[in-house]
């Protein structure tokens, strides 16, 4: 073996020493820069690994060369590889260990790391800007929704428009609202907008509220049942959304948020707002709390609008009823007005306005008589009405004269459904004709009685079905000795009939009433107050036998 055959293993051994030295330096550098300069630490680890590989290859080459029984001289290619290997080991060791070179390399690596940090900062800034832009976009959507709630008077159109507006925010592609009655089995979709491609909602889409059904595990159903917001962060991994995995995948729905629509704390949800997002929503996302707040505002506004519509319908109904009542009052032949407890006019019918020469009811509404008439002409009327309000006693059919006309006047209190005094109703009926007739009748009757009282020895008595005296003229006083006050109200048989004639008199009266058997004229002796008695001829007349108030007339003449 000559010197040429020994040169390769010698050179490989020297190269292996350099590579081994490089492994040691790399390991030290790796530990030194592990915390401060991670990139340089990783580079040291790579160099060390490369050096270890080179040492292993050199040892293997030496072993293979020495193990050969007839080693041959190296070809020029082997010398070239060995030269490059040795040069690489020496140059790498020098570069890696020389201080100035290390400083330059460290500076380069530091600049690289600085560029990485700047890139990371820019990336974070871009993310912040993106989040800010998304939040600004979300705020604009919220402003639009608030404007919708403030401007729209139809609650149904308002919710339909709100669903559409939610989908104008790029994060949401589907929004729907469902309302359910108490103890309902499912939650139907009442309002919705679906801008997903392909559409997520279908005609058979339903949220079940029965705990025993698998569909009841969905976010909308759980929000309705638990009265809490439900968030599905990942529609593909969350088992609660397993029934709709494939549909969500095709429509690119990543997250779902269901918010119960509760008007007041402690109340059961009236419905649920469900939003489907093509972005990933997490429980830390700030917009969830904002959405819960605006959902509360939305359902409160919806209830208020519904109540306003109900009140308007009730007001219209009451107005129609009032118009009907007004038309009825205007057709009555009586003058009618009504006032509150302060005696201010609430209303009046047409006949009253015409009688008082008032052009419109609006001229008296809310005014007192003093304000309407401007003088004391109605002061007596107001005083009477005050007494009715304060004393609690109504005035019924009080006759009042105005000029040549006569009126029957009623003044009555009226109350609401809670028995609260609301005011007074005045009614005035023109009874001039009837009253004049009544006065004529009174005058005629007085004249009649004056005539009867002026006929001597003609005693005329009126008595009812119970035989009680109703009228007793002056000749009766002279004939029987009893005054009108003593006679009226007494039974005829007890006052002037002897005991032996009383039963027969009673039987004849009853027989005439029940069997229409008239009493015949008779001559008899009747009792007097002084006890002497008087003999008379008696005749009898029965009026209105079949009515409720039959009247007997008896006429007695001394014989």
């Amino acid at each position: 073996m000559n010197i040429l055959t020994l040169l390769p293993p010698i050179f490989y051994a020297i190269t292996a020493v350099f590579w081994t030295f490089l492994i040691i330096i790399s390991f030290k550098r790796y530990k030194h820069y592990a915390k401060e300069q991670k990139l340089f630490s990783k580079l040291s680890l790579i160099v060390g690994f490369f050096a270890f590989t080179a040492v292993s290859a050199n040892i293997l080459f030496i072993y293979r060369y020495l193990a050969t029984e007839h080693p041959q001289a190296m070809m020029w290619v082997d010398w070239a590889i060995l030269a490059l290997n040795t040069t690489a080991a020496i140059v790498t060791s020098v570069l890696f260990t020389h201080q100035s070179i290390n400083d330059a390399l460290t500076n380069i690596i530091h600049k690289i790391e600085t560029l990485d940090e700047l890139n990371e900062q820019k990336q974070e800034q871009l993310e912040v800007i993106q989040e800010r832009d998304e939040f600004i976009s979300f705020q604009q959507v919220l402003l639009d929704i608030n404007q919708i709630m403030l401007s729209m008077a139809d609650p149904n159109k308002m919710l339909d428009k709100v669903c559409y507006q939610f989908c104008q925010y790029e994060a949401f592609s589907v929004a729907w609202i469902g309302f359910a009655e108490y103890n309902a089995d499912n939650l139907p979709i009442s309002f919705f907008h679906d801008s997903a491609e392909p559409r997520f909602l279908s005609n058979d889409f339903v949220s079940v509220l029965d705990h025993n059904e698998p569909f009841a595990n969905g976010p909308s159903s759980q929000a309705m049942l638990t009265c809490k917001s439900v968030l599905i962060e990942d529609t593909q991994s969350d088992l609660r959304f397993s029934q709709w995995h494939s549909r969500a995948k095709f429509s690119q729905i990543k997250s779902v948020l269901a918010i119960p629509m509760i008007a007041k704390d402690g109340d059961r949800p009236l419905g649920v707002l469900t939003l489907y997002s093509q972005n990933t929503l997490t429980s830390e996302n700030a917009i969830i709390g904002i959405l819960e707040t605006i959902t509360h505002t939305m359902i409160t506004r919806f209830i208020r609008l519904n109540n306003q519509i109900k009140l308007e319908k009730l007001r219209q109904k009451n107005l129609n009823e009032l118009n009907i009542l007004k038309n009825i009052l205007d057709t009555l032949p009586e003058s009618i007005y009504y006032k509150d407890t302060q005696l201010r006019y609430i209303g009046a019918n047409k006949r009253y306005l015409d009688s008082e020469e008032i052009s419109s009811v609006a001229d008296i509404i809310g005014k007192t008589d003093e304000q309407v008439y401007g003088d004391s002409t109605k002061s007596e009327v107001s005083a009477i009405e005050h007494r009715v309000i304060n004393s609690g006693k109504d005035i019924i059919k009080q006759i009042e004269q105005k000029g040549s006309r006569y009126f029957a006047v009623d003044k009555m209190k009226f109350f609401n459904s809670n028995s609260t005094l609301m005011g007074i109703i005045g009614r005035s009926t023109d009874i001039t004709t009837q009253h004049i007739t009544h006065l004529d009748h009174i005058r005629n009757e007085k004249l009649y009685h004056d005539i009867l009282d002026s006929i001597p020895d003609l005693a005329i008595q009126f008595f009812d079905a119970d035989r009680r005296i109703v009228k007793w003229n002056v000749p009766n006083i002279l004939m029987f000795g009893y005054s009108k006050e003593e006679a009226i109200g007494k039974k005829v048989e007890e006052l002037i009939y002897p005991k032996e004639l009383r039963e027969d008199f009673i039987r004849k009266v009853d027989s005439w009433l029940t069997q229409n058997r008239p009493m015949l004229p008779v001559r008899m002796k009747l009792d007097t107050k002084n006890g002497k008695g008087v003999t008379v001829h008696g005749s009898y007349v029965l009026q209105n036998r079949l009515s409720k108030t039959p009247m007997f007339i008896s006429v007695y003449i001394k014989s």
Side-chain angles (χ1 to χ4, degrees), residues 425-480:
I425 297 175
R427 180 177 62 182
S428 178
T429 306
D430 190 337
I431 58 168
T432 301
T433 302
Q434 299 94 312
H435 190 66
I436 291 176
T437 302
H438 176 66
L439 292 177
D440 290 342
H441 175 72
I442 291 175
R443 284 193 292 269
N444 292 336
E445 187 175 6
K446 184 177 183 303
L447 177 61
Y448 170 71
H449 286 291
D450 290 342
I451 293 172
L452 291 180
D453 288 341
S454 65
I455 301 175
D457 300 327
L458 185 64
I460 300 175
Q461 303 166 9
F462 287 76
F463 60 90
D464 59 19
D466 293 327
R467 305 174 307 281
R468 294 189 181 276
I469 297 171
V470 177
K471 293 182 180 180
W472 184 269
N473 71 344
V474 173
N476 277 294
I477 300 173
L478 300 174
M479 186 177 295
F480 297 103

Side-chain angles (χ1 to χ4, degrees), residues 469-532:
I469 297 171
V470 177
K471 293 182 180 180
W472 184 269
N473 71 344
V474 173
N476 277 294
I477 300 173
L478 300 174
M479 186 177 295
F480 297 103
Y482 295 103
S483 67
K484 288 184 179 182
E485 290 76 14
E486 292 174 315
I488 290 176
K490 299 292 192 304
K491 289 191 175 184
V492 176
E493 70 272 13
E494 294 178 356
L495 188 66
I496 61 174
Y497 273 77
K499 291 182 180 180
E500 63 272 15
L501 298 179
R502 291 178 183 176
E503 290 185 6
D504 183 62
F505 174 74
I506 294 172
R507 180 181 56 79
K508 288 180 179 179
V509 170
D510 291 341
S511 177
W512 198 350
L513 283 173
T514 58
Q515 301 176 23
N516 197 22
R517 293 180 179 180
M519 296 172 64
L520 299 176
V522 61
R523 184 177 182 274
M524 57 189 162
K525 185 177 181 179
L526 299 178
D527 292 339
T528 60
K529 185 177 181 180
N530 58 18
K532 293 181 179 181

